[in-house]
């Protein structure tokens, strides 16, 4: 009899089952792909394992199993409207990298489904690829499925491939929800189309390599890649109709129902909103926990879109106040067992959501103002259809939901051009695809640098030595192919069996230096790792030549490395100081550690005050001056966490980790190079603190002699400034304040004099009034007048002139300002200052606008000012006519 199992129970049962089959169980990888430009977000269980499938990296074990967090947004418009669409889902998978193949995958799949889940065999069907007799034989001879329950389908259903590269047939396991026997392929397909029979587990047999000519070549080491949607199998195990009714998801949905005071099932409209909020909150909670922050592009845009759609549907349910943090708490409660990082980062996640929801509520209000302007403009022109590009601007720039735009337009008996909106949307998708770049099936790079034998490993000895002898293992001259030799004048890369050169990683730049022997000399211009972690020396050959198997001496630029070490250890002290001053929500979000400076990005939601920056800088310098020993030790990840070591916000670590400690103050997981004693850093000086993204701040700083040189330059600047104002440095600030005060007084006097001059012109300007078809107007140009004075004068002239339109231009050296004002009576006759000033300013190379009774504008061509205001007469004629 089939068990009734909760989603968390199913997940654990699956992973334990494959652990019992000697699979390495790994935690879910981050939703943010690592070293893979082909994906915006992880969308399948096998996606993070691409390097193992392609052979670029050696897997920690040839059998692995995971439950992978995934996000897909291609069908976001269908989420909530159907029973199966969701943006966030979990994919159970077991994988073989050249180890077991079809037989074991099929036997274990059947064993898990029938013996662990105890799904009745008379409810199960299997499909295989049309020509896959091997899979058919294994199903028939190694399981007890009835042969009549196996159906052969074509490439569209049971063959997995994407362009060139690894591919192969698949076998799927299906569940009969109705309990009726089907006997033919046609009956099976018909029942599947009606969702009476649903697929829940796909076993992919990657056995071919498709070449550019379309040939399917046998892989020497075929792979297994299976995927079973946790939500899908949970609906079967719990006997519910859709993924929103399984236990963990329903708990979240019920929370939203309580907040909104709306019962699930009361109406299809409210049910859609409840499902959308449930799904989207899961998605954006998981994204934030993996280090993604709201923005207007890339992953941040996906996050922002999910969060704002959820907030919008809360309004549709009648929720007036901010509510998403309450839903997030329910997500964390239901998923923290499988994903403990949710609990660890709970406060941080809630903070991000709270800020973004508040921003969205402001956006709704500002979006309403813009949409109302569009509607007023349409009413004036007697138009009924809002252009698609305007709706898209509201949607894309201001985050204003499309459905809200449509609803408001419908209330006004208007609509929008959906076709043009969709064109704009497609152009944006194309831009996003271009930004991700192109890649092949596995998202791997095919360059020569990633075709190095995966069994070749370079031993890094640079923690303890800056010089060492080794043997050349690989040479590439020109970076296009492997070669046996590299000669003077050529550029390429060299790989040795051992190296003291640190390869760029973890924000720290690669080492530079020289490779020498009695045969030649090469300059190492950079040191990097390829996709599989091989240490690559990028070189310029200066003298002679090197050949494979030559013995060489590798020498790191020690002064440069010393400066890099100072900056790297300083980032650790800075990280800890930021937490001490700002709070535990601070996490590293990126860094740059070079020879000349350091840059540290961190999660925080507001700019730092001068007092906070001063305090942080003082803490770091205090810890430097304590001259701590900087110790390094290797331990297990569990031991490191128990010891209180800080880990990077979004990094996956191996079982053995390197822990760097600066005395008792800082303890952090790190593979970089550091000073031996904190005192070697000498001095730490913050240069700047800025925002780089929503919720991410950046500090740039200097250490050592670079910091000393910076301070010396500042002192020299201060000394020169003191000389200029004829003051000593002690009295510099007082003298400067006095000068500024005197300058303000002079500016005030000048302004008052200008006001008197302008007032004296009032009568002259009023006397210059003209009339066109009964409309009295003034157009007048003034020299060297500021905008405020121009506006004050226009207001006085309008008040004194009765029913009058006033247009003034004020010029300065490089610009012109325009102000237009009209009496209420003239506005009622069709005069619109905003429209008039827009056309006037265009003559002077500018623009502007405003209300019918008052408007302002600017221009870049002051020599065109008179020509611009002279246009008023012809404009008034056209208005009256």
């Amino acid at each position: 009899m089939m068990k009734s199992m909760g989603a968390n129970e199913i997940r654990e049962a699956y992973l334990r089952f494959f652990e019992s089959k000697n699979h390495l169980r790994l935690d879910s990888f981050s939703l943010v792909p690592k070293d893979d430009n082909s994906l915006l977000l992880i969308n399948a269980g096998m996606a993070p394992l691409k390097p193992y499938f392609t052979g670029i990296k050696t897997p920690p074990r040839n059998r692995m199993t995971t439950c992978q967090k995934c996000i897909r947004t291609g069908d976001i418009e269908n989420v909530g409207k159907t029973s199966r669409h969701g943006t966030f889902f979990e994919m159970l998978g077991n994988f073989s990298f050249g180890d077991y193949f079809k037989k074991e995958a099929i036997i274990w799949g059947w064993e898990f489904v029938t013996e662990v889940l105890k799904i009745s065999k008379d409810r199960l069907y299997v499909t295989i690829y049309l020509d896959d007799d091997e899979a058919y034989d294994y199903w028939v001879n190694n399981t007890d499925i009835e042969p009549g329950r196996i159906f052969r389908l074509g490439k569209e259903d049971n063959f997995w491939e994407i362009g060139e590269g690894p591919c192969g047939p698949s076998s799927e396991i299906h569940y009969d929800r109705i309990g009726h026997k089907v006997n033919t392929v046609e009956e099976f397909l018909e029942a599947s189309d009606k969702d009476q029979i649903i697929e829940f587990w796909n076993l992919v047999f990657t056995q071919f390599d498709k070449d550019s000519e379309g040939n399917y070549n046998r892989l020497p080491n075929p792979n297994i890649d299976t995927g079973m949607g946790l939500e899908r199998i949970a609906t079967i195990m719990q006997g519910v109709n859709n993924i929103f009714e399984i236990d963990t998801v329903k708990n979240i949905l019920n929370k939203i129902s309580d907040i909104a005071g709306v019962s699930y099932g009361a109406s299809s409209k409210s049910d859609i909103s409840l499902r959308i909020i449930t799904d989207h909150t899961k998605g954006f909670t998981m994204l934030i926990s993996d280090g993604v922050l709201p923005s207007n592009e890339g992953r941040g845009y996906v996050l922002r879109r999910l969060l704002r759609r959820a907030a919008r549907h809360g309004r549709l349910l009648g929720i007036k106040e901010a509510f998403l943090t309450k839903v997030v708490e329910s997500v964390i409660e239901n998923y923290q067992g499988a994903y403990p990082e949710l609990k660890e980062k709970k406060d941080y996640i809630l903070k991000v959501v709270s800020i973004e929801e508040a921003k969205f509520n402001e956006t709704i209000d500002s979006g309403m103002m813009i949409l109302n302007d569009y509607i007023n403009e349409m009413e004036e022109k007697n138009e009924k259809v809002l252009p698609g590009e305007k709706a898209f601007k509201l949607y894309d720039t201001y985050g204003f939901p499309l459905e809200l735009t449509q609803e408001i337009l419908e209330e006004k008996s208007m609509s929008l051009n959906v076709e043009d909106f969709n064109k704009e949307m497609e152009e944006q998708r194309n831009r996003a695809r271009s930004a991700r770049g192109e890649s092949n099936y596995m998202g791997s790079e095919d360059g020569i640098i990633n075709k190095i034998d995966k069994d070749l490993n370079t031993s890094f000895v640079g923690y303890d030595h800056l010089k060492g002898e080794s043997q050349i293992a690989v040479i590439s001259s020109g970076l296009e192919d492997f070669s046996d030799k590299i000669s003077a004048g050529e550029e390429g890369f060299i790989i040795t069996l051992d190296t003291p050169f640190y390869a760029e990683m973890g924000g720290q730049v690669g080492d530079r230096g020289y490779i020498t022997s009695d045969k030649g000399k090469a300059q190492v211009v950079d040191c990097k790792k390829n996709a599989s972690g091989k240490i690559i020396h990028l070189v310029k050959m200066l003298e002679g030549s090197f050949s494979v198997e030559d013995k060489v001496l590798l020498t790191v630029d020690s002064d440069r490395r010393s400066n890099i070490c100072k900056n790297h250890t300083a980032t650790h002290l800075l990280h800890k100081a930021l937490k001490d001053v700002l709070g535990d929500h601070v996490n590293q979000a990126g860094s740059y550690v070079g020879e000349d400076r350091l840059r540290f990005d961190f999660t925080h939601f507001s700019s730092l005050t001068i007092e906070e920056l001063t305090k942080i800088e003082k803490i770091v310098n205090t810890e430097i001056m304590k001259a701590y020993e900087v110790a390094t030790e290797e331990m297990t990840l569990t031991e490191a966490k128990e010891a209180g070591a800080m880990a990077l916000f979004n990094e996956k670590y191996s079982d053995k980790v390197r822990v760097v400690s600066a005395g008792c103050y800082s303890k952090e997981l790190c593979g970089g190079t550091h000073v031996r004693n904190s005192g070697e850093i000498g001095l730490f000086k913050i240069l700047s603190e800025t925002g780089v993204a929503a919720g991410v701040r950046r500090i740039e700083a200097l250490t050592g002699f670079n910091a000393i040189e910076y301070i010396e330059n500042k002192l020299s600047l201060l000394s020169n400034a003191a000389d200029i104002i004829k003051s000593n440095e002690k009295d510099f600030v007082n003298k400067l304040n006095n000068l500024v005060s005197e300058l303000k007084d002079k500016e005030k006097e000048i302004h008052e004099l200008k006001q008197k001059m302008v007032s004296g012109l009032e009568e002259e300007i009023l006397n210059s009034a003209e009339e066109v078809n009964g409309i009295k107007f003034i157009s007048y140009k003034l020299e060297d007048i500021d905008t405020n004075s121009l506006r004050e004068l226009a207001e006085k002239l309008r008040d004194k002139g009765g029913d009058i339109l006033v247009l003034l231009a004020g010029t300065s050296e490089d610009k012109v300002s325009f102000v237009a004002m009209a009496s209420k009576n003239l506005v009622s006759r069709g005069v619109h200052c905003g429209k008039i000033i827009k056309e006037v300013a265009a003559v002077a190379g500018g623009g502007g606008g405003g209300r019918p009774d008052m408007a302002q504008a600017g221009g870049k061509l002051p020599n065109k000012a008179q020509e611009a205001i002279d246009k008023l007469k012809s404009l008034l004629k056209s208005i009256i006519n």
Side-chain angles (χ1 to χ4, degrees), residues 667-864:
K667 191 183 293 286
E668 195 163 326
L669 274 63
C670 182
T673 62
H674 292 268
V675 296
R676 304 280 182 185
N677 185 291
S678 65
E680 295 176 35
I681 300 170
L683 180 66
F684 173 82
K685 183 63 187 172
I686 294 174
L687 297 181
S688 64
E689 188 274 335
T690 56
V692 292
V696 178
R697 310 296 300 178
R698 170 174 293 171
I699 282 179
E700 297 203 40
L702 301 174
T703 62
F705 285 109
N706 289 316
I708 292 170
E709 184 181 357
Y710 173 82
I711 291 171
E712 286 175 345
N713 289 336
K714 288 289 185 184
L715 289 173
S716 176
L717 185 66
L718 175 62
S719 177
N720 290 337
D723 288 343
I724 289 170
I725 64 171
K726 296 181 172 53
S727 167
N728 59 45
E729 293 178 22
K730 184 179 178 181
D731 296 328
F732 177 78
V733 173
N734 287 334
K735 183 71 179 287
L736 194 61
N737 279 331
N738 290 336
L739 285 173
V740 169
S741 180
E742 287 176 20
L743 186 61
K744 286 181 178 178
D745 289 341
K746 299 294 183 188
E747 287 176 346
K748 186 179 179 182
E749 285 179 31
I750 292 168
H751 179 73
E752 288 173 352
L753 285 170
K754 283 184 177 180
Q755 287 289 86
K756 289 177 182 178
M757 290 170 61
V758 168
S759 296
L761 287 173
E762 285 180 21
E763 290 302 318
E764 180 185 329
I765 297 172
L766 279 171
N767 291 334
S768 72
E770 300 179 67
E771 191 171 310
V772 173
N773 294 345
I775 292 182
K776 184 180 175 185
F777 72 93
I778 290 171
S779 58
Y780 202 91
K781 186 184 80 162
L782 297 100
E783 303 288 344
D784 192 24
I785 183 170
D786 62 82
T787 305
N788 288 336
S789 298
L790 199 68
R791 188 170 55 246
E792 289 171 12
L793 177 60
E795 194 169 354
K796 288 179 181 177
L797 293 170
R798 182 192 59 187
D799 294 344
K800 287 184 178 181
D803 285 335
I804 195 168
L805 167 64
V806 178
L807 175 65
L808 300 181
T811 62
S812 60
E813 288 183 7
D814 57 352
K815 65 179 181 179
V816 56
S817 300
F818 298 99
V819 175
M821 292 189 185
S823 63
K824 290 182 180 180
N825 188 38
L826 292 186
V827 170
S828 67
R829 293 180 60 188
V831 170
H832 193 298
C833 291
K835 293 177 180 178
I836 288 171
I837 209 161
K838 187 176 180 181
E839 296 200 39
V840 166
V843 176
R851 303 190 306 267
D853 63 327
M854 197 281 281
Q856 290 182 209
K860 301 173 184 176
L861 306 171
N863 59 317
K864 295 273 190 178

Side-chain angles (χ1 to χ4, degrees), residues 376-430:
N376 291 336
E377 193 175 324
M378 289 165 66
E379 287 175 339
E380 286 178 12
K381 296 178 180 178
N382 200 27
E383 294 174 349
K384 292 292 184 182
V385 181
L386 180 70
E389 60 267 22
K390 288 188 174 180
F392 183 76
K393 183 178 181 181
L394 271 171
Y395 172 81
D396 190 49
T397 306
Y398 300 100
F400 202 71
L402 176 65
E403 60 266 27
L404 181 56
T405 301
Q406 289 175 307
E407 286 173 19
I408 294 168
L409 288 171
E410 285 170 8
E411 290 170 4
K412 302 283 186 179
S413 299
M414 295 174 174
S415 62
L416 68 85
N417 189 325
V418 178
E419 186 177 339
D420 283 354
F421 177 89
N422 290 334
K423 284 180 184 176
E424 296 280 346
M425 183 68 81
E426 185 57 32
E427 285 180 17
Q428 186 201 62
R429 290 193 185 108
N430 290 335

